[in-house]
């Protein structure tokens, strides 16, 4: 019985800590949204990990499309925490030039989902990119990431390069 009581108290303490953390993130999100919206188009708020809120914004001038993510656990200081850089090759193709930020936090998936949404809304038919030799130390992680997001992945293991391509389901 003592063990159950201790577990209940611990769970209550953990729940209070979680709620306090979320409350802090909500206040931080309000402040960050105001600052980010001064410079970029805010396109969403998401939750990639347990109890972690993020703001997703875009910078899109018709030549380049950058999807950026900012954590709500800290103040926005003019820089993003994660980004996917894309360039319009033509009216119907976005080429991913770079993905920047920490791995294994779910940020890449959040940004990729928003990039795909932007592509569909703008009638972009293809998102594509290259896998270069500089990516070889994390190749398996990249393959898993792109396949998870329904990209066709072609790897040339001999020359240490590859290509990725996504087309919307409506085509």
């Amino acid at each position: 019985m003592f063990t159950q009581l201790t577990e209940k108290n611990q769970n209550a303490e953990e729940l209070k800590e979680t709620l306090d953390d979320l409350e802090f993130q909500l206040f931080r999100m309000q402040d960050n949204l105001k600052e980010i919206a001064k410079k970029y188009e805010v396109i969403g708020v998401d939750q990639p990990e347990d109890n972690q809120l993020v703001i997703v914004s875009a910078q899109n001038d018709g030549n380049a499309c950058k999807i950026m993510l900012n954590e709500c656990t800290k103040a926005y200081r003019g820089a993003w925490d994660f980004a996917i850089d894309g360039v319009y090759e033509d009216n119907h193709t976005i080429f991913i030039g770079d993905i920047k930020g920490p791995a294994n936090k779910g940020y890449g998936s959040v940004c990729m989902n928003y990039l795909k949404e932007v592509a569909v809304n703008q009638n972009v038919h293809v998102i594509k990119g290259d896998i270069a030799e500089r990516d070889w130390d994390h190749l398996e992680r990249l393959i898993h990431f792109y396949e998870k997001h329904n990209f066709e992945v072609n790897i040339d293991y001999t020359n240490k390069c590859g290509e990725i391509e996504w087309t919307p389901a409506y085509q």
Side-chain angles (χ1 to χ4, degrees):
M1 175 136 182
F2 181 71
T3 305
Q4 281 182 325
L5 184 60
T6 305
E7 286 177 7
K8 285 182 182 176
N9 286 340
Q10 184 179 14
N11 289 339
E13 289 173 17
E14 288 174 2
L15 181 59
K16 182 179 179 347
E17 186 177 310
T18 299
L19 290 173
D20 288 346
D21 182 54
L22 281 172
E23 182 179 34
F24 172 80
Q25 287 186 62
L26 285 171
F27 285 122
R28 181 67 71 200
M29 181 176 35
Q30 287 177 317
D31 291 338
N32 289 354
L33 276 168
K34 290 176 195 172
E35 294 305 312
I36 293 168
K38 290 177 183 176
K39 192 170 183 183
Y40 305 111
E41 177 188 4
V42 174
I43 57 175
V45 172
D46 217 305
Q47 194 171 11
E49 289 186 346
D50 293 339
N51 304 319
Q52 170 79 30
L53 296 172
V54 295
I55 299 167
V56 183
S57 57
Q59 183 177 26
N60 191 345
D61 64 5
N63 295 313
C65 178
K66 178 181 245 175
I67 305 297
M68 299 160 286
L69 178 147
N70 289 88
E71 298 172 350
C72 293
T73 56
K74 59 187 179 188
Y76 174 70
R77 302 276 186 230
W80 41 262
D81 295 305
F82 194 95
I84 295 180
D85 290 328
V87 175
Y88 290 92
E89 287 190 337
D90 55 44
N91 290 336
H92 301 290
T93 306
I94 295 174
F95 182 87
I96 296 174
D98 204 358
I99 298 177
K100 305 170 191 169
N104 300 320
K105 295 186 89 173
Y107 296 172
S109 290
V110 169
C111 287
M112 184 61 73
N113 289 335
Y114 279 95
L115 178 63
K116 289 161 64 175
E117 186 178 303
V118 166
V120 168
N121 289 340
Q122 294 182 353
N123 199 28
V124 169
H125 300 179
V126 178
I127 299 175
K128 63 182 186 176
D130 291 332
I131 295 177
E133 187 172 348
R134 71 177 178 273
D135 300 320
W136 227 246
D137 64 333
H138 55 281
L139 179 65
E140 294 306 315
R141 190 180 73 214
L142 280 176
I143 291 170
H144 172 76
F145 173 76
Y146 286 120
E147 286 179 345
K148 178 172 75 172
H149 289 282
N150 300 314
F151 279 75
E152 184 178 317
V153 179
N154 295 306
I155 303 295
D156 179 345
Y157 289 93
T158 304
N159 295 310
K160 292 188 175 181
C161 62
E163 297 175 342
I164 54 118
E165 186 171 302
W166 175 83
T167 53
Y170 61 80
Q171 289 189 354

